[in-house]
Amino acid sequence: PEQPKKRAPERQPMKPMTQEEYLRKQQEVREVYDEETGRLRLVRGTGEIIERIVSSEAHSRINRGATRGDGDSFARSVFAAAKKKS
């Protein structure tokens, strides 16, 4: 017996956002953790990255942690590339 074909879920057609939808999405802000670099970022609903205003001490602390995360990420990519070659 022939199996019935499964239908893909219905998609909403692409259409321009109304100004109300855009403003609602712009007001939506969430914190997103970037696992690769270890940074916590503020992101608007539209995907825009927002910078935080912090004290110089907090900036130094965040920058040290981010630099460490960048170094760890780079080291992982170098070791992964070296592992592929061997």
Side-chain angles (χ1 to χ4, degrees):
E2 190 174 316
Q3 294 287 332
K5 292 185 179 183
K6 292 183 181 178
R7 299 187 90 195
E10 295 291 323
R11 289 190 201 177
Q12 291 289 333
M14 293 293 290
K15 63 178 183 169
M17 278 192 266
T18 64
Q19 184 172 4
E20 293 167 352
E21 291 171 329
Y22 175 76
L23 292 175
R24 197 175 324 116
K25 205 164 192 106
Q26 279 293 92
Q27 290 177 353
E28 182 182 306
V29 177
R30 63 189 188 283
E31 277 191 334
V32 177
Y33 179 72
D34 183 357
E35 291 181 14
E36 190 171 319
T37 62
R39 294 181 180 168
L40 214 83
R41 302 179 187 275
L42 287 176
V43 181
R44 283 199 182 181
T46 55
E48 176 186 359
I49 305 295
I50 305 170
E51 290 190 27
R52 290 185 185 182
I53 298 174
V54 296
S55 68
S56 61
E57 296 85 22
H59 176 75
S60 295
R61 183 175 35 81
I62 291 167
N63 204 31
R64 273 193 302 275
T67 301
R68 187 178 310 114
D70 290 345
D72 292 345
S73 174
F74 178 73
R76 277 194 301 273
S77 68
V78 168
F79 287 128
K83 197 173 189 178
K84 282 184 179 181
K85 286 187 175 185
S86 57

